[in-house]
Amino acid sequence: MTSYFLRHAYVDGAVRDDVSVEIADGRFTTVEAGVSTGWTGGTGSTHGAAEVVEGLTIPGLANCHSHAFHRALRGHTQRERGSFWTWREQMYAVAERLDPDSYYALALATYREMLATGITAVGEFHYLHHQPDGTPYDDPNAMGHALIRAARDAGIRIALLDTCYLSSGFGAPVTGAQLCYSDVTAERWAARAQQLCGAAGDDGDDVVIGAAIHSVRAVPGDQLATVARWASERGAPLHVHLSEQVAENDACLEAYGVTPTALLDEAGALTPGTSAVHATHLRPEDVETLGRTGTRACFCPTTERDLGDGIGPSRALHDAGSPLTLGSDSHAVIDLFEEMRAVELDERLATRQRGHWSAAELLDAATVQGHASLGFPDAGRIAVGQRADLVTVALDSVRTAGAGASAEAVVFAAGGADVRRVVVGGRLVFTPDDLPGIAAELDAAVGAVRMAP
Ligand SMILES: [Zn+2]
């Protein structure tokens, strides 16, 4: 058993002082607030049998939308003008250079960067399935296994969202870099994804195999239901890129006569187990449909602003019944603190009013809702029975000093660089001593991919 004495901790929706937690078999067995006063030791000292942790400790953060290989693009896509579509060409060039070994190394370093910023679970939206010419590897899931291995070795929990991607656009065949994404038909995608399910461990393990529909562009309308059924029959999470671009909506209306949201709804793909990623350009009836079906809305504000996507109706979705979750998507930035506050700050810019989202609501999106959307409903709270994830934020950094021990300080003042300790499932997986090694790993892994022929 491990025990900690947390100076301040976010428990039951509020910051509490002097919180004692005990952990056994990766889960909290005791959580008690206000149990002691008068102790003076700093982090690393002990209070009875418990290790003392200064700062403000919050539950683990869930990064619900990741493409690990996009990390190799950071800093290299900011010179030209262009659009989402020109950025996509650069992303394809990186995708073509990856194999299971280089993908493992890049994902391992990227996941360690996530841990360093307090992310304890990642939803990996994975579609680099095959060799560059489309030929499957000897193990058809070699790339998926590389990602799972990277997550396990990093110490982060993963929902591998195996993604169906069959078309370059509304039934047109895949070309170029997209060849490595395609399983040709949804049935063949399902057969390969099924083989991958053996990679997940027993209940309580840190790996979930989920499904994803890349988009209504990439999966023909008559095959959407196959993917949706595969996920629902297994109780697996289903994620889908939705209406990130106006051009996608226009092409969908032309091809099918309905919006992407309506098309997914007709296919039975919108349920409480579904996450609609981006959900940027929606009609009022789309918002109503997503809310009615309980579909979660996964916003990725730092990517959406990087790519010039636009600002989605986060509050309207929430009020309609779509819980919010967050992701760092393209990893232009990996910082869930920034994603949290960006949701509120973007709404302020769009409406010229403040106060749409409270800090507590944004923390809920980044923790409870996020983990649940990845198939980990037993994570995201510091509570008895939950998975023992603890993220400690410094209150004495240049950003947080004087800001107080509050949810507002965490959401609106702190950043990933203020994370001092990360515990996942009761295991200490990050302290700032790890930062130089993580930076060196990132440099080597990105360099290897960018220099490959
Ligand atoms: Zn994405």
Side-chain angles (χ1 to χ4, degrees):
M1 192 185 71
T2 311
S3 37
Y4 293 114
F5 209 85
L6 310 173
R7 186 72 186 87
H8 309 281
Y10 191 74
V11 178
D12 290 338
V15 174
R16 324 247 174 211
D17 297 337
D18 301 332
V19 176
S20 167
V21 300
E22 292 179 342
I23 299 166
D25 298 327
R27 292 176 188 266
F28 295 113
T29 54
T30 303
V31 176
E32 261 184 281
V35 293
S36 175
T37 55
W39 54 284
T40 55
T43 293
S45 63
T46 55
H47 180 73
E51 186 179 343
V52 172
V53 179
E54 293 285 351
L56 171 50
T57 299
I58 61 174
L61 303 173
N63 187 359
C64 301
H65 192 63
S66 161
H67 308 283
F69 75 97
H70 290 192
R71 179 60 179 81
L73 295 168
R74 186 184 298 175
H76 298 282
T77 59
Q78 304 292 356
R79 283 190 191 152
E80 301 83 12
R81 294 182 69 178
S83 66
F84 169 88
W85 307 101
T86 54
W87 170 88
R88 192 176 71 156
E89 292 307 314
Q90 299 181 63
M91 183 265 283
Y92 282 178
V94 170
E96 282 183 302
R97 294 189 204 118
L98 287 164
D99 62 24
D101 290 339
S102 55
Y103 204 12
Y104 167 81
L106 183 56
L108 176 65
T110 304
Y111 294 157
R112 293 191 73 202
E113 180 185 354
M114 289 184 194
L115 283 169
T117 64
I119 293 164
T120 57
V122 59
E124 181 64 36
F125 199 103
H126 163 56
Y127 52 86
L128 300 188
H129 302 304
H130 307 300
Q131 298 183 55
D133 66 354
T135 308
Y137 290 98
D138 290 344
D139 169 4
N141 285 307
M143 296 291 259
H145 287 304
L147 290 167
I148 291 169
R149 201 156 45 88
R152 283 196 167 124
D153 290 350
I156 198 168
R157 205 167 285 132
I158 188 171
L160 188 76
L161 305 165
D162 195 291
T163 304
C164 185
Y165 192 123
L166 307 173
S167 167
S168 67
F170 299 95
V174 290
T175 57
Q178 298 165 341
L179 287 168
C180 75
Y181 309 165
S182 178
D183 292 296
V184 185
T185 67
E187 282 77 20
R188 286 169 65 175
W189 165 84
R192 187 184 49 69
Q194 189 56 38
Q195 289 179 33
L196 191 59
C197 286
D202 300 333
D203 188 36
D205 187 47
D206 289 340
V207 177
V208 159
I209 305 297
I213 293 165
H214 179 277
S215 57
V216 298
R217 281 183 280 124
V219 179
D222 59 359
Q223 300 190 60
L224 292 169
T226 303
V227 186
R229 205 179 314 117
W230 188 92
S232 69
E233 284 174 0
R234 287 156 187 78
L238 173 66
H239 288 218
V240 53
H241 288 134
L242 178 68
S243 294
E244 181 178 7
Q245 295 288 320
V246 172
E248 174 183 299
N249 287 358
D250 293 346
C252 187
L253 282 163
E254 193 176 319
Y256 301 113
V258 294
T259 64
T261 299
L263 189 69
L264 290 166
D265 192 31
E266 284 173 14
L270 300 181
T271 75
T274 305
S275 292
V277 181
H278 302 303
T280 309
H281 301 286
L282 302 177
R283 293 179 175 183
E285 56 266 36
D286 295 331
V287 173
E288 191 278 325
T289 299
L290 292 164
R292 171 177 48 78
T293 55
T295 301
R296 288 189 174 85
C298 179
F299 274 44
C300 309
T302 66
T303 291
E304 288 148 10
R305 72 193 186 200
D306 183 68
L307 296 178
D309 290 340
I311 301 170
S314 62
R315 190 72 218 186
L317 282 163
H318 175 89
D319 292 346
S322 284
L324 176 72
T325 64
L326 298 166
S328 66
D329 189 5
S330 69
H331 310 319
V333 172
I334 294 179
D335 188 336
L336 263 283
F337 299 87
E338 180 64 28
E339 306 291 349
M340 279 192 276
R341 62 179 158 260
V343 172
E344 163 64 17
L345 299 179
D346 284 354
E347 285 271 4
R348 291 183 189 180
L349 286 172
T351 63
R352 290 179 285 175
Q353 286 191 335
R354 309 175 87 227
H356 303 270
W357 288 92
S358 71
E361 287 176 320
L362 293 167
L363 267 172
D364 190 61
T367 56
V368 177
Q369 291 298 338
H371 291 286
S373 81
L374 299 179
F376 299 111
D378 52 353
R381 291 186 299 130
I382 301 174
V384 172
Q386 290 266 301
R387 294 174 188 251
D389 301 345
L390 297 168
V391 171
T392 302
V393 180
L395 296 177
D396 57 357
S397 78
V398 290
R399 286 165 293 277
T400 58
S406 66
E408 289 75 20
V410 166
V411 173
F412 290 100
D418 297 318
V419 170
R420 291 291 177 267
R421 294 164 55 87
V422 178
V423 170
V424 178
R427 193 161 68 92
L428 181 67
V429 293
F430 169 78
T431 68
D433 291 344
D434 300 327
L435 286 170
I438 296 172
E441 267 182 32
L442 282 163
D443 194 49
V446 171
V449 171
R450 296 202 66 84
M451 287 187 300

